[in-house]
Amino acid sequence: MTSATAFLFDLDGTLVDSVYNHVRAWHLALREEGIALSVWRIHRRIGMSGGLFVNQLGRELGIVLDADTVQRLRGRHAEHFLSLASEVVPLPGAAELLQALTDLQLPWAIATSGRMKTASANLASLGVDREKAVVVTRDMVKYAKPDPDLFVEAARRLGTPTQGSYVIGDSIWDMIAAARCGALGIGLLSGGYGREELERAGALRVYDDPADMLLHLDEIAPRTRD
């Protein structure tokens, strides 16, 4: 029996250990534009869309970033991230968790605020074949997190509702997006956000990483076998 409950995963910091690579890539891109921003401030925005990231940055610094600068920043971020892509590895238990869901006949998908240009390297490190698995990237939806479009589209492609499904992510932006589409948020600490932050943002459960979630999968997974 296949359950209607889907597992909708974020990618960076949830399945692959790439959050700090993104932080470093943004830091380098911003520095090239003469914009000095502490890395901890960059980290707090990883997980939201690049466009929203840049808009919030401009508001915080009290500067106006024209369209050309925004486009240049996003492009340079992607280039810097790809130069670090060989360092990205799956988080502990990530591949095993996806396999366990497959074995239990529980539908899963990956939905990321990254564009396919940067996500493809992460998917490759995870061993996910994007021709076979359901993968939704920023290129495929109108809005990225904290809007729920990514997870709504992932659920649609699986043929499941978001209501009652799980959104698994490492940031508060994932939890906000989950609430906006009626899904249950599962937080992971592997992206650098704290347990209380994730719980305040709506996480139903918080685990250390995919391996810890796999260990406690019976707490949340619907039964598919007698």
Side-chain angles (χ1 to χ4, degrees):
M1 180 184 74
T2 299
S3 170
T5 300
F7 288 70
L8 310 173
F9 289 90
D10 171 52
L11 182 59
D12 295 289
T14 299
L15 293 172
V16 295
D17 196 7
S18 56
V19 166
Y20 295 100
N21 300 68
H22 277 293
V23 172
R24 178 60 174 157
W26 276 116
H27 187 249
L28 291 171
L30 290 165
R31 191 170 65 185
E32 290 172 355
E33 293 291 333
I35 301 172
L37 191 66
S38 300
V39 292
W40 74 269
R41 292 189 181 276
I42 298 173
H43 175 259
R44 309 310 293 172
R45 291 171 174 79
I46 298 299
M48 64 171 60
S49 71
L52 184 57
F53 171 95
V54 174
N55 289 338
Q56 287 203 2
L57 169 66
R59 184 165 62 244
E60 179 175 326
L61 297 178
I63 59 178
V64 177
L65 299 173
D66 58 56
D68 288 342
T69 302
V70 171
Q71 190 63 30
R72 194 163 55 246
L73 279 169
R74 292 162 84 173
R76 290 299 288 155
H77 159 261
E79 291 172 9
H80 285 305
F81 180 79
L82 289 173
S83 73
L84 301 169
S86 62
E87 302 175 7
V88 176
V89 297
L91 283 158
E96 293 83 357
L97 174 58
L98 297 181
Q99 186 59 54
L101 293 174
T102 299
D103 293 343
L104 290 169
Q105 300 178 36
L106 291 167
W108 58 269
I110 295 174
T112 173
S113 287
R115 296 178 184 273
M116 186 56 76
K117 182 177 180 179
T118 54
S120 58
N122 291 344
L123 293 168
S125 75
L126 188 59
V128 170
D129 184 348
R130 65 177 191 258
E131 299 300 323
K132 297 179 180 178
V134 173
V135 177
V136 178
T137 63
R138 178 66 184 87
D139 319 74
M140 302 173 186
V141 296
K142 186 173 183 180
Y143 299 114
K145 294 175 289 185
D147 287 281
D149 301 33
L150 286 161
F151 299 116
V152 170
E153 177 62 14
R156 185 192 71 78
R157 294 187 181 208
L158 287 173
T160 60
T162 55
Q163 190 77 31
S165 289
Y166 293 112
V167 163
I168 303 95
D170 65 291
S171 75
I172 62 172
W173 315 112
D174 297 303
M175 301 303 103
I176 294 171
R180 287 180 174 179
C181 64
L184 303 171
I186 302 295
L188 299 184
L189 300 176
S190 42
Y193 276 87
R195 181 180 301 274
E196 291 184 358
E197 291 179 288
L198 293 168
E199 290 177 341
R200 284 199 304 269
L204 176 69
R205 291 284 187 275
V206 178
Y207 302 108
D208 290 345
D209 55 18
D212 189 34
M213 180 177 164
L214 177 58
L215 185 64
H216 296 89
L217 191 58
D218 58 347
E219 295 178 352
I220 58 174
R223 296 186 181 184
T224 58
R225 297 173 183 169
D226 294 331

